Amino acid sequence: LGSTGSIGVNALAVISRFPDRFRVVGLTANNNIEVLTKQVRRFRPVAVAVSHRGSEDLRREVRTRGIQFFDVSEICSLIEHCRPDIVILAISGSSALEPFLVSVQRGIRVAPANKEALVMAGEIIMREARTNGATVIPIDSEQSAIFQCLEGRNREALQRIILTASGGPLYRVPRSGFRNLRVSQILRHPRWKMGKKITVDSATLMNKGLEVIEAKMLFGVPMDRIDVIVHPQAVIHSMVELRDGSILAQLGVTDMRLPIQYALTYPERCDSGLAAMDLLKCRQLTFDRPDLVRFPALSLAFDCARRGGTLPCVMNAANEVAVNSFLEGRLNFLQIYAIVEKVVSKHKNVPRPGLSQIWAADAWAREESRSYLK
Ligand code: NDP
Ligand code: MG
């Protein structure tokens, strides 16, 4: 799901290496008809979903090939139709929540790259996964690293999760330079080539904030046992500290095909065809404390995570609206955090929310954020 994006394209590259093992049954995009059409010709899925608007040619083509067409709003119906063994969740933003839930409710293995859905409703998703025997194997590199470090280990042994952060594109930029940052400067990330939304989140460190909540949800660990450490080389993808003080880390090249492949072949390990990591070239691995004054989004996320309820969902929704507005040139860089902080501070938190309360909080936060934009 989200096959035309950065993760989606990488996932198809991984799948192409294992033609005897995997078959693509469904592909979805939002608007990118051109790339989706090429993918449909190459992978011949059972069904596709994309926005109805502008997709007449593709619709005609898939009909002649006997492929079922769905609108992008019907991704859950596509899942029911394809009945996949694995769903790769590479849609960005909150639109991933429904497909995530439907998949785990059907007992399907989900490989989420998307973090926003877990931030919004992680407790509900993970509960549904447990109830229905669905496995969730994260693709997000930090969560994949933690998952790998914990593999086969008794959870009682876990003392602390240490999420690493590359520091993002503004690691060495003073705060006085933040206001006039252009979108094009932000979109140049030093370590990873990713979609626009997550690249902006990496600059504010909101991405790390979302990942703190993602880790809390995925691994069921209380917030006082999750730490963030800046590691600019991005060689260590995250670590776990065990009860006896031992720290385990997962290291690897900065290439998303690695965690994607692991989520697909788990528990097996297969040749990835990627160049081996040359530790002698890295020479130094350094660590730094995150700068919460320059990057207050990270402390806001910690605070929302500790308080729980609908707050993480509200923070995520306000952030989606603000980041989109920044990408459209309607906000300056510093106003992203300013809006998110205002909306979060105004929210009346709902403890232990159900799904309808989560969607209501999401809608409220978007409306509230838009009122500040005006
Ligand atoms: P992209 O923006 O590159 O791709 C997003 C994909 O989702 C595209 O296929 C897009 O379609 C589709 N999409 C966008 N909006 C909607 C919608 N409303 N409904 C259905 N489909 C939609 O994002 P990334 O691949 O970078 O990221 C995807 C997710 O993975 C994010 O949640 C991100 O945080 C996470 N992630 C990404 C990493 C990376 O390296 N890129 C690393 C770790 C996590 P279209 O092309 O038509 O717009
Ligand atoms: Mg990550």
Side-chain angles (χ1 to χ4, degrees):
L1 311 181
S3 63
T4 51
S6 158
I7 293 287
V9 166
N10 274 314
L12 289 173
V14 170
I15 286 167
S16 304
R17 282 183 48 83
F18 302 95
D20 299 335
R21 193 168 179 138
F22 300 115
R23 184 173 162 238
V24 175
V25 291
L27 290 171
T28 82
N30 193 24
N31 294 310
N32 195 338
I33 311 271
E34 198 184 321
V35 170
L36 185 67
T37 304
K38 285 189 189 139
Q39 292 177 342
V40 166
R41 288 178 190 155
R42 165 114 197 258
F43 293 96
R44 300 168 181 273
V46 174
V48 295
V50 70
S51 171
H52 252 288
R53 267 176 293 123
S55 60
E56 295 77 15
D57 290 349
L58 177 63
R59 253 182 286 166
R60 214 169 302 121
E61 179 168 339
V62 300
R63 211 174 298 128
T64 60
R65 289 174 189 264
I67 297 169
Q68 185 77 28
F69 183 93
F70 293 93
D71 183 64
V72 65
S73 59
E74 302 167 318
I75 290 180
C76 295
S77 310
L78 173 135
I79 295 170
E80 305 277 6
H81 182 82
C82 298
R83 304 206 155 255
D85 300 310
I86 307 178
V87 165
I88 301 176
L89 204 64
I91 295 172
S92 56
S94 58
S95 315
L97 176 52
E98 279 188 32
F100 202 152
L101 264 179
V102 164
S103 301
V104 292
Q105 282 164 346
R106 301 291 175 277
I108 299 170
R109 180 197 288 193
V110 179
N114 178 286
K115 54 199 82 181
E116 291 90 346
L118 284 162
V119 169
M120 292 171 75
E123 268 144 13
I124 298 176
I125 292 171
M126 296 310 285
R127 195 190 317 129
E128 287 291 321
R130 275 192 302 276
T131 312
N132 296 288
T135 333
V136 177
I137 304 172
I139 283 178
D140 199 358
S141 56
E142 294 77 1
Q143 319 297 346
S144 173
I146 297 161
F147 187 91
Q148 293 180 57
C149 291
L150 288 176
E151 203 188 317
R153 222 165 291 283
N154 188 337
R155 278 302 158 88
E156 302 291 292
L158 176 64
Q159 178 67 30
R160 190 163 65 111
I161 283 177
I162 308 165
L163 279 167
T164 53
S166 72
L170 305 180
Y171 180 48
R172 301 208 178 279
V173 179
R175 193 167 165 89
S176 57
F178 280 12
R179 183 178 299 275
N180 299 320
L181 282 166
R182 287 190 309 274
V183 173
S184 59
Q185 288 169 286
I186 299 291
L187 293 185
R188 251 180 270 130
H189 192 280
R191 299 280 162 205
W192 302 95
K193 174 95 192 71
M194 311 177 286
K196 287 183 183 172
K197 197 263 173 180
I198 182 174
T199 308
V200 177
D201 286 346
S202 301
T204 57
L205 287 205
M206 180 55 94
N207 181 52
K208 211 47 59 181
L210 294 173
E211 286 179 357
V212 163
I213 305 173
E214 187 187 15
K216 175 188 177 206
M217 299 303 176
L218 280 170
F219 305 107
V221 176
M223 284 309 298
D224 57 358
R225 294 197 184 188
I226 303 179
D227 284 333
V228 171
I229 193 165
V230 175
H231 167 51
Q233 295 82 11
V235 167
I236 297 177
H237 297 308
S238 278
M239 303 177 247
V240 301
E241 185 185 294
L242 304 179
R243 275 286 153 89
D244 58 2
S246 269
I247 292 182
L248 304 185
Q250 188 261 339
L251 287 70
V253 287
T254 46
D255 191 317
M256 287 308 292
R257 285 176 293 180
L258 205 52
I260 292 170
Q261 174 173 314
Y262 180 70
L264 293 181
T265 63
Y266 168 85
E268 258 182 77
R269 298 271 180 180
C270 305
D271 178 13
S272 67
L274 297 175
M277 212 178 82
D278 187 349
L279 284 172
L280 290 176
K281 268 196 187 139
C282 308
R283 296 187 68 87
Q284 276 195 325
L285 301 183
T286 61
F287 304 97
D288 205 351
R289 210 183 290 281
D291 183 342
L292 300 178
V293 177
R294 275 192 308 147
F295 304 106
L298 184 55
S299 19
L300 182 69
F302 263 102
D303 186 46
C304 289
R306 271 188 214 105
R307 290 159 67 199
T310 40
L311 274 174
C313 168
V314 162
M315 181 191 77
N316 174 68
N319 183 58
E320 279 190 39
V321 173
V323 169
N324 273 332
S325 307
F326 170 71
L327 287 169
E328 289 164 2
R330 298 168 61 202
L331 287 184
N332 73 42
F333 182 75
L334 288 174
Q335 287 169 322
I336 301 174
Y337 172 75
I339 288 199
V340 178
E341 197 276 327
K342 267 195 181 126
V343 175
V344 165
S345 65
K346 221 175 147 187
H347 182 60
K348 287 197 184 65
N349 196 13
V350 182
R352 286 177 294 283
L355 204 54
S356 58
Q357 288 161 311
I358 283 170
W359 280 119
D362 178 90
W364 173 85
R366 282 169 204 275
E367 197 48 48
E368 198 65 23
S369 311
R370 284 190 202 105
S371 75
Y372 288 117
L373 288 173
K374 279 180 206 146

